[in-house]
């Protein structure tokens, strides 16, 4: 049974203030409105469309629509001010409907399915304190009702909270650590700067969802603008918005980390047991009952080329056919930490405080083995009604806020290890596309936004040894209509952009990901630098050409890259030599500030910025995840990984966190970190 969507107001258009604030002058707004109309002008509908697509009233209306229509100019002005994603870029109304969707054949699932998972409501309710909805009068009661030892200090404007373990972040690392340490009898508090949403809250709406569930609205650029980084910012972190791929750490990577880097953990039985425990808790399945359009294309293209295509394990059921998991899984089938490890933790007494950001770590100078001892963290709520800060005193403090935010927290707290923030790996990715018109002769069912996000993959084999890592991994992305429109290059005309958007639902995208040898650095939340190595570019080039071959072999009528010059070719009637000439022109470009023809890389995987090392001069933390500089301070997220994994890193991060937390639980039991 389905019912009308009752998603959370913050994930719907109705959360926006209907009276748009005039943040620029009237003359500037007039100029901006003219620019919006020039880019997306009202046009007379064409007499015919590509491939005999019928012209109905929705398409006529789409052609006559204009970028000057309210609220688009106001929203663009808001982007100029706030650097967020425009929530009404496609005119979503209060009923989660968009007049353009029918024209571009986009039908996101905005209904709620009645099932057992949704009927359970909010699985973390018993352990969560949402500061967004608290007041100074209710906050103290909410904290104490969860079993916390809290004292209000009006003099210093503090809420002083005592616990055994405080964890900053609730994603891959933080969620696992919370469950294991709570199971060991420790009183655990998890700080999460994002807000809490469960399955019935999700709207599948691209703009408000990106702004609410992703760090900086999903638009974090490197300093040169060459890479755009995506990171979750909600309870569950990246696991709440990722694409479900649940791949074990590859054996060559484990061997490299254990043998070449001397980190015995990754060659140990304990790590293998951790992977088994993690995949079991996440309900990882290896089969897929029905594949979506993009994965059908990838599988068919590989089959026609006679090359191998792999089934991708997922942390969901075999029948999971959800194309909106990137915007939060509406069926609660995807097993992120918000419905697995964190549920285990709160059932054992852990408390999650949301809308609360850690500002600095707290230290004393009386460490027994090291110069400093970490005794907790100072945090603040984003709710302006709560002016007081949170001082959490703990035996052990764990930073699990990810590779982009753990280094700034450690650096701003005074730590000086030279590896903090260095060695950042990103699995840089570029995309290619192929257009497959609908019709009686089409081999593929469905739309680009339907079905499991990643259910198949192809590995571009290495040139040398068979047991080495592949040159590139080819998978399928989630790509909403607004993001897709933003990627189209170059802008040629209003007619061209509208024609391309009409192809949206039958355009299959493949992304090429490389295990990067190049690296970057994160020194603050606002400054992330990164560079690919020459080998990375060679591997990316090989991957892009292979991905285009797959699309052509699957029967695409036109294929292309997202390079700035609109690099593409119509396949029908082209000779093999012409196709090869086109493929030979495809390469891994540089970023927009350094090349004539450029492309923007994307990444949802951040690793290594506080990597493990055998000695202090080799890493930011030791093999147990503990800081070399401060006793009682641990890092438990993707930043501790020694290098890039080469595959989707969720299982690797959780398995590493499992090992760190298990060892820490044993140390706490033995009284090693008693205050």
């Amino acid at each position: 049974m389905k019912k009308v969507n009752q998603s959370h107001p913050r994930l719907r258009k109705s959360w926006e203030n209907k009276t748009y604030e005039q943040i620029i002058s009237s003359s500037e707004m007039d100029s901006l409105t003219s620019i919006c109309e020039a880019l997306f002008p009202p046009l007379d509908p064409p007499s015919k469309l590509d491939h005999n697509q019928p012209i109905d009233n929705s398409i006529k209306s789409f052609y006559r629509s204009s970028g000057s229509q309210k609220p688009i100019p106001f929203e663009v002005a808001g982007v100029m001010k706030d650097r967020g994603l425009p929530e009404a870029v496609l005119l979503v109304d209060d009923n989660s409907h968009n007049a353009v969707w029918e024209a571009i054949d986009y039908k996101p699932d905005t209904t709620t399915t009645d099932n057992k998972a949704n009927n359970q409501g909010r699985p973390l309710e018993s352990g969560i304190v949402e500061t967004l909805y608290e007041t100074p009068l209710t906050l103290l009661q909410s904290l104490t009702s969860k079993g916390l030892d809290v004292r209000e200090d009006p003099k210093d404007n503090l809420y002083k909270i005592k616990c055994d373990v405080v964890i900053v972040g609730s994603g891959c690392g933080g969620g696992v650590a919370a469950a294991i340490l709570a199971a060991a009898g420790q009183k655990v508090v998890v700080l999460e700067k994002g807000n809490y949403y469960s399955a019935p809250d999700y709207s599948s709406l691209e703009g408000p969802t990106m702004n609410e569930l992703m760090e900086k609205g999903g638009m974090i650029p490197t300093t040169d603008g060459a890479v755009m980084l995506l990171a979750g910012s909600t309870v569950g972190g990246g696991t709440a918005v990722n694409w479900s791929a649940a791949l074990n750490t590859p054996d060559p990577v484990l061997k490299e980390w254990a043998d070449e880097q001397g980190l015995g953990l990754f060659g140990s039985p304990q790590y293998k047991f951790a992977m088994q425990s993690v995949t079991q808790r996440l309900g990882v399945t290896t089969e897929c009952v029905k594949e979506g359009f993009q994965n059908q294309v990838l599988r068919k293209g590989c089959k026609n080329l006679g090359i191998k295509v792999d089934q991708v394990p997922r942390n969901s059921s075999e029948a999971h056919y959800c194309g909106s998991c990137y915007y939060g899984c509406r069926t609660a089938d995807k097993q992120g930490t918000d419905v697995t490890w964190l549920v285990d933790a709160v059932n054992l007494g852990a408390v999650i405080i949301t809308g609360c950001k850690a500002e600095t770590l707290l230290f004393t100078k009386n460490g027994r083995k090291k110069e400093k001892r970490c005794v907790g963290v100072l945090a603040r709520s984003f709710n302006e009604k709560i002016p007081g800060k949170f001082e959490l005193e703990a035996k052990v403090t764990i930073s699990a806020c990810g590779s982009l935010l753990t280094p700034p927290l450690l650096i701003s707290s005074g730590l000086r290890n030279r590896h903090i923030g260095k060695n950042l790996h990103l699995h840089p990715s570029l995309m290619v596309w192929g257009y497959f018109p609908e019709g009686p002769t089409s081999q593929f069912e469905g739309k680009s936004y339907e079905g499991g996000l990643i259910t198949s993959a192809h590995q571009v084999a290495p040139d040398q040894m068979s047991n080495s890592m592949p040159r590139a991994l080819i998978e399928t992305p989630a790509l909403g209509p607004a993001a897709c429109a933003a990627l189209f290059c170059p802008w040629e005309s209003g007619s061209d952009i509208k024609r391309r958007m009409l192809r949206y639902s039958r355009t299959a995208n493949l992304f090429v990901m490389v295990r990067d040898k190049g690296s970057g650095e994160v020194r603050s939340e606002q400054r992330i630098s990164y560079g690919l190595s020459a080998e990375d570019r060679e591997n990316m080039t090989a991957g892009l050409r292979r991905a285009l071959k797959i699309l052509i072999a699957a029967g695409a009528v036109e294929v292309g890259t997202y390079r700035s010059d609109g690099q593409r070719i119509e396949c029908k009637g082209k000779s093999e030599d012409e196709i090869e000439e086109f493929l030979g022109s495809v390469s891994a470009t540089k970023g927009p500030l350094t090349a004539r023809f450029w492309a923007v890389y994307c990444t949802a995987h951040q690793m290594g910025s506080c990597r493990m090392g055998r000695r202090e001069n080799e890493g930011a933390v030791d093999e147990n995840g503990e800081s070399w500089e401060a006793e009682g301070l641990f890092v438990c997220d993707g930043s501790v990984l020694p290098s890039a994994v080469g595959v989707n890193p969720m299982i690797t991060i959780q398995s590493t966190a499992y090992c760190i937390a298990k060892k820490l639980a044993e140390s706490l039991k033995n009284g090693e970190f008693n205050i």
Side-chain angles (χ1 to χ4, degrees):
M1 177 181 177
K2 297 219 170 178
K3 57 186 178 182
V4 176
N5 176 38
Q6 297 295 325
S7 56
H8 196 284
R10 293 179 72 90
L11 300 177
R12 297 200 305 267
K13 181 67 192 110
S14 60
W15 178 55
E16 277 291 293
N17 191 337
K18 297 307 177 205
T19 57
Y20 289 88
E21 179 186 1
Q22 185 83 18
I23 63 172
I24 58 179
S25 69
S26 296
S27 60
E28 288 172 328
M29 181 57 76
D30 289 342
S31 297
L32 180 59
T33 300
S34 298
I35 292 171
C36 290
E37 179 163 306
L39 292 173
F40 200 81
L43 301 168
D44 290 330
S47 58
K48 64 178 181 177
L49 295 174
D50 296 342
H51 307 282
N52 299 316
Q53 183 179 354
I55 302 177
D56 57 22
N57 288 333
S58 68
I59 292 178
K60 292 177 182 177
S61 176
F62 175 55
Y63 267 89
R64 289 168 181 151
S65 63
S66 168
S68 65
Q69 293 172 244
K70 291 183 178 180
I72 293 176
F74 291 91
E75 296 246 350
V76 173
V79 171
M80 292 165 63
K81 177 185 178 184
D82 300 325
R83 298 176 65 199
L85 183 69
E87 296 189 9
V89 69
L90 291 178
L91 303 176
V92 180
D93 65 22
D94 290 335
N95 297 314
S96 299
H97 177 265
N98 186 308
V100 170
W101 286 350
E102 186 177 353
I104 66 173
D105 201 12
Y106 180 55
K107 300 173 184 176
D109 186 1
T110 57
T111 58
T112 299
T113 303
D114 280 329
N115 59 25
K116 183 178 179 181
N118 283 347
N119 290 336
Q120 288 175 350
R122 291 156 57 88
L124 299 177
E125 184 68 33
S126 64
I128 204 154
V129 176
E130 299 176 272
T131 67
L132 176 67
Y133 309 113
E134 299 286 350
T135 68
L137 295 176
T138 64
L139 179 60
L140 191 62
Q141 181 181 356
S142 295
L143 292 169
T144 55
S145 70
K146 304 301 182 186
L148 290 176
D149 179 357
V150 186
R151 180 172 63 86
E152 194 170 5
D153 182 351
K155 180 181 177 181
D156 293 328
N157 204 17
L158 293 173
Y159 295 95
K160 294 188 174 183
I161 303 172
K162 287 188 176 182
C163 59
D164 296 319
V165 180
V166 58
I167 301 172
V168 183
S170 64
C172 268
V176 173
I180 290 173
L181 292 166
Q186 305 298 323
K187 186 62 178 179
V188 175
V189 175
V190 178
L191 293 179
E192 170 56 57
K193 72 185 187 71
N195 296 309
Y196 174 47
Y197 301 103
S198 59
D201 294 324
Y202 297 126
S203 68
S204 298
L205 297 178
E206 187 178 8
T209 297
M210 293 285 284
N211 280 339
E212 187 65 19
L213 303 185
M214 305 291 287
E215 183 71 21
K216 300 190 188 321
M219 301 174 69
I220 310 173
T222 54
T223 51
D224 62 359
V227 185
M228 195 66 68
L229 295 89
L230 304 171
S233 184
T234 183
V235 172
T239 70
V241 293
N242 71 9
W243 301 350
S244 306
L247 295 150
N248 280 352
T249 318
D251 288 339
V253 174
L254 290 176
K255 182 176 176 59
E256 175 189 316
W257 292 350
D259 296 347
E260 296 179 23
Q261 302 196 33
L263 298 169
L265 167 66
F266 296 105
S268 68
Q270 288 84 359
Y271 188 83
K272 290 184 178 179
F273 178 79
M275 282 198 293
Q276 293 171 357
S277 300
V278 165
T279 54
Q280 182 177 359
R281 183 63 188 95
L282 299 187
V284 174
T285 55
T286 56
E287 299 300 322
C288 177
V289 173
K290 179 183 178 182
E291 286 196 304
F293 168 68
Q294 294 191 135
N295 284 278
Q296 292 174 43
V297 168
L298 174 55
R299 190 170 294 279
K300 183 68 173 181
C302 289
K303 181 180 178 181
N304 289 347
L305 288 173
I307 56 179
K308 185 181 179 183
V309 60
D310 299 316
Q311 194 80 35
V312 176
R314 298 180 292 162
N315 60 328
S316 62
S317 69
E318 295 178 352
H320 188 48
Y321 191 78
C322 174
S324 64
C325 275
Y326 185 43
Y327 309 126
C329 184
R330 298 177 54 78
T331 64
D333 192 325
K334 183 177 73 172
Q335 300 294 285
T337 62
D338 52 322
V339 294
T340 53
W341 298 106
L342 290 173
V343 176
D344 298 344
V346 299
N347 288 343
L348 292 165
V351 179
I352 304 170
I353 303 176
T354 69
C356 194
K357 182 177 182 180
E359 289 191 327
T360 188
L361 302 169
L362 302 174
F363 299 102
T364 62
K365 294 184 178 180
N366 61 344
R368 290 171 295 180
K369 300 177 182 178
K370 301 175 183 179
E371 182 181 345
K372 294 181 179 180
R373 175 183 175 86
C374 189
V375 293
V377 64
L378 188 68
R380 65 174 175 87
S381 171
F382 288 111
N383 184 349
E384 294 180 355
K385 295 178 182 178
I386 302 175
K389 294 188 177 183
F390 298 77
E391 184 180 275
L392 291 103
E393 180 184 339
K395 300 175 186 176
V396 166
T397 302
I398 297 175
S399 181
C401 42
S403 293
L404 301 182
L405 295 179
T406 281
L409 177 61
L410 270 56
I411 292 169
S412 65
S413 300
L415 298 190
R416 294 290 177 261
N417 181 289
R418 67 183 180 87
H419 291 284
I420 298 174
K422 298 286 185 65
N423 314 300
L424 175 68
H425 293 277
L426 297 178
H427 284 168
S429 302
L430 287 175
M431 288 192 297
V432 297
W433 58 268
Y435 176 50
F436 296 82
E438 217 160 8
T441 61
S442 175
Q443 305 175 64
F444 307 110
E445 298 178 354
K447 315 294 181 184
S448 62
Y449 53 85
E450 294 176 337
L453 302 181
I454 299 178
T455 57
S456 57
H458 170 68
Q459 299 181 18
V460 180
D463 292 333
Q464 304 100 2
M465 305 166 19
S466 60
N467 65 343
S468 60
M469 289 293 290
R471 300 187 69 185
L473 186 65
I474 299 174
E475 296 177 328
T476 56
L479 196 63
C484 186
L487 285 170
F488 285 141
C489 286
W491 184 91
E492 294 179 0
S493 66
S495 176
D496 179 68
I497 191 67
K498 291 185 176 184
R499 180 185 67 86
R500 290 205 232 179
M501 284 308 300
L502 291 179
R503 293 178 163 196
Y504 164 73
S505 69
R506 293 290 292 184
T507 297
N509 288 280
L510 303 179
F511 74 86
V512 179
M513 180 183 88
V514 299
R515 185 188 182 215
D516 44 331
K517 299 294 180 66
S519 65
E521 181 177 4
V522 50
R523 300 298 295 178
S524 71
E525 294 182 27
Q526 305 298 327
R527 192 166 184 83
I528 303 165
S529 59
Y530 180 80
L532 279 76
S533 70
E535 183 179 348
D536 295 337
R537 294 191 187 282
E538 291 173 4
N539 289 337
M540 180 65 74
T541 296
L544 290 170
R545 293 174 180 176
R546 178 67 58 83
L548 287 164
K549 283 185 178 181
I550 290 170
L551 291 169
I552 294 168
V557 301
E558 186 176 9
V559 299
T561 70
Y562 286 100
R563 203 171 75 174
S564 60
D565 61 338
Q567 186 180 40
R568 56 190 171 186
I569 185 173
E570 291 189 8
C571 304
K572 186 176 180 181
K574 293 295 188 296
S575 67
E576 188 173 327
D577 287 343
E578 288 174 306
I579 295 293
E580 286 300 320
E581 182 181 358
F582 169 74
L583 293 174
S585 71
V586 173
S587 63
T589 62
K590 295 184 178 181
L593 301 180
T594 56
R596 178 186 176 194
F597 299 131
W598 51 268
V600 175
Y601 292 76
C602 292
T603 173
H605 305 160
Q606 299 95 37
M607 303 149 285
S609 56
C610 282
R611 73 180 182 192
M612 282 185 180
R614 291 175 299 176
R615 292 177 286 273
E616 189 170 359
N617 64 353
E618 295 179 359
V621 299
D622 65 20
E623 200 167 351
N624 297 321
E626 188 174 13
S627 165
W628 288 107
E629 298 173 80
E631 195 174 303
L633 173 61
F634 289 77
V635 177
C636 204
D637 56 31
S639 68
V640 303
L641 300 183
S643 64
V645 184
V647 299
N648 307 65
M650 177 174 64
I651 299 299
T652 300
I653 296 171
Q654 293 199 19
S655 300
T656 304
Y658 186 98
C659 293
I660 290 173
K662 279 289 189 182
K663 185 69 180 292
L664 178 54
E666 184 180 333
S667 298
L668 285 164
K669 181 181 177 181
N670 295 333
E672 292 184 28
F673 295 100
N674 288 336
I675 296 176

